[in-house]
Amino acid sequence: GVAKVWARWEQTGGTHTMGASYNMTSMVDGGAAGYSDLTFATDFSSGEYSITGSAEAASIFTMESGSAVAGTLTIRFMNVDGVYNDATHASVAIFGDQ
């Protein structure tokens, strides 16, 4: 398989700047430090898909519990102390059935 959705962006001071993406309709600030709300152009068949991500600036990628549905996902980044923080050069790739 190949990634059905992927994106690279920056979270800085409550704004999101998309660098490049595939099959992503929008990515917006999730309302608090470290949060991003993703909307896919083509929905998955369900919320059962695989997500991988990374970020620079000493951040750890996580998925917001229970947020994976067919057409959207909320992800977050935190530092090693468990404090949510905006990430520089965040990336995500998502695999699954569409």
Side-chain angles (χ1 to χ4, degrees), residues 6 10 14-15 18 20 22-23 30 32 50-51 65-66 83 85 92 98:
W6 61 262
E10 292 188 35
T15 63
M18 185 79 70
Y22 173 77
N23 198 27
S50 179
I51 307 152
S65 178
V83 176
N85 67 322
V92 66
Q98 288 183 310

Side-chain angles (χ1 to χ4, degrees), residues 30-93:
Y35 282 79
S36 291
D37 295 327
L38 289 61
T39 303
F40 314 136
T42 302
D43 291 357
F44 286 90
S45 60
S46 71
E48 298 294 321
Y49 44 81
S50 179
I51 307 152
T52 185
S54 65
E56 294 176 22
S59 294
I60 300 167
F61 167 86
T62 63
M63 182 188 83
E64 181 63 13
S65 178
S67 75
V69 296
T72 63
L73 172 68
T74 298
I75 60 174
R76 63 187 176 194
F77 296 92
M78 67 179 72
N79 64 23
V80 295
D81 296 322
V83 176
Y84 297 125
N85 67 322
D86 287 342
T88 305
H89 305 296
S91 298
V92 66

